[in-house]
Amino acid sequence: SMLPSETAIHADETMQSVFFKKFAEKKLQTFEYQAKMLSYREEEFQDKRQKEKEEAKGPFIICVDTSGSMHGTPETVAKTLCFAILKIAIRDNRKCFLISYSDIFRTLELHNLNNSLPELINFLSMSFHGGNNEPLAMKEVLRILKLEDYKKSDVLWVSDFVTIPFDKNTLAEINKAKENKTKFHSLTIGQSGNKGIIGQFDNNWLYDLNNPNSVLTLIKNINEL
């Protein structure tokens, strides 16, 4: 690792005492292999930590109430939220599954943008109508959570939650999913939601239709996912 100039000193008999003095004092000039190696290892360590951090983020499952009671501003909020979550999923390379429901439900896997974009555009352009069936939609969420690609997901549910409560079996499965590190987040549109259902979620966000600052709060909550 010595520089050529130090080798030259060692080769000169009259300068060898100087060479050995510098050697003993560990003052010989050398190439910075060690510094470069430490720098490389530090970068490698940082990359590893970044990858671990990214891997810690699970997929998204977005469940959107598309019943008639969501028509109007709630519909716009729901569609905007789906698009924002999709952008996050693409940015962070996270899988994303969309469930839209009223009396029945539709599903759409969104992690492959090229394949799912036409269907997403179709979803964002449709009108909301019909009744709602949260228990049926939750059973579909729980089914997806058992798939290998969607374990430990962040479940984000958008609804006014004007509906009947979940049954005991469904509640038990929700608690089991929580034990497997699934997080349930609710975004309630308006103030008339069923408190019994909303209380089953880990995080509860409220979009107040009469508060213009609700949009800013929603953006903050999304960025924290």
Side-chain angles (χ1 to χ4, degrees):
S1 299
M2 286 191 308
L3 295 180
S5 57
E6 300 290 17
T7 306
I9 293 174
H10 179 267
D12 187 345
E13 291 184 359
T14 62
M15 296 292 292
Q16 282 186 354
S17 59
V18 176
F19 173 87
F20 288 118
K21 180 175 183 298
K22 292 176 71 176
F23 175 80
E25 294 175 351
K26 298 182 179 179
K27 292 182 178 180
L28 290 172
Q29 294 182 335
T30 62
F31 292 106
E32 294 184 354
Y33 289 131
Q34 184 177 11
K36 289 181 179 179
M37 181 60 71
L38 288 174
S39 176
Y40 172 76
R41 287 177 178 171
E42 178 64 23
E43 290 176 2
E44 187 178 41
F45 178 69
Q46 290 178 353
D47 289 343
K48 183 178 179 181
R49 288 188 61 185
Q50 181 64 28
K51 288 179 181 178
E52 288 176 348
K53 184 178 179 181
E54 291 175 355
E55 288 174 358
K57 293 182 178 180
F60 288 116
I61 298 176
I62 311 172
C63 198
V64 182
D65 180 357
T66 58
S67 64
S69 63
M70 291 283 287
H71 184 74
T73 300
E75 175 183 331
T76 302
V77 173
K79 291 177 178 180
T80 302
L81 180 66
C82 287
F83 189 73
I85 293 293
L86 177 59
K87 289 180 66 177
I88 294 174
I90 294 171
R91 182 195 68 195
D92 297 343
N93 195 28
R94 299 168 70 176
K95 294 181 182 297
C96 188
F97 204 102
L98 172 65
I99 302 171
S100 60
Y101 71 94
S102 52
D103 300 303
I104 58 175
F105 63 83
R106 295 166 54 208
T107 61
L108 176 62
E109 199 163 10
L110 297 173
H111 70 279
N112 188 327
L113 183 59
N114 291 330
N115 293 334
S116 59
L117 185 57
E119 293 182 78
L120 178 63
I121 292 174
N122 182 55
F123 168 77
L124 295 177
S125 62
M126 73 179 183
S127 294
F128 290 11
H129 60 275
N132 60 350
N133 193 332
E134 268 81 5
L136 179 65
M138 178 57 81
K139 288 180 180 179
E140 177 64 8
V141 169
L142 294 169
R143 183 192 71 79
I144 294 170
L145 286 171
K146 294 175 183 177
L147 302 177
E148 187 63 31
D149 286 345
Y150 285 92
K151 291 180 179 179
K152 302 178 183 178
S153 294
D154 278 297
V155 177
L156 179 56
W157 200 298
V158 186
S159 175
D160 55 14
F161 291 105
V162 180
T163 186
I164 61 175
F166 298 130
D167 60 47
K168 291 183 179 180
N169 290 335
T170 300
L171 292 175
E173 288 196 56
I174 292 172
N175 290 329
K176 185 176 181 181
K178 289 180 180 180
E179 292 173 0
N180 291 330
K181 299 184 179 180
T182 291
K183 294 291 184 183
F184 290 84
H185 315 274
S186 71
L187 173 60
T188 306
I189 310 294
Q191 308 252 8
S192 303
N194 185 318
K195 300 296 190 271
I197 283 187
I198 297 172
Q200 302 304 317
F201 291 83
D202 298 294
N203 297 307
N204 299 294
W205 306 326
L206 173 67
Y207 188 92
D208 187 348
L209 298 172
N210 299 315
N211 182 359
N213 293 323
S214 289
V215 174
L216 297 177
T217 303
L218 176 59
I219 292 171
K220 180 182 177 182
N221 291 333
I222 291 173
N223 288 331
E224 290 176 352
L225 285 174

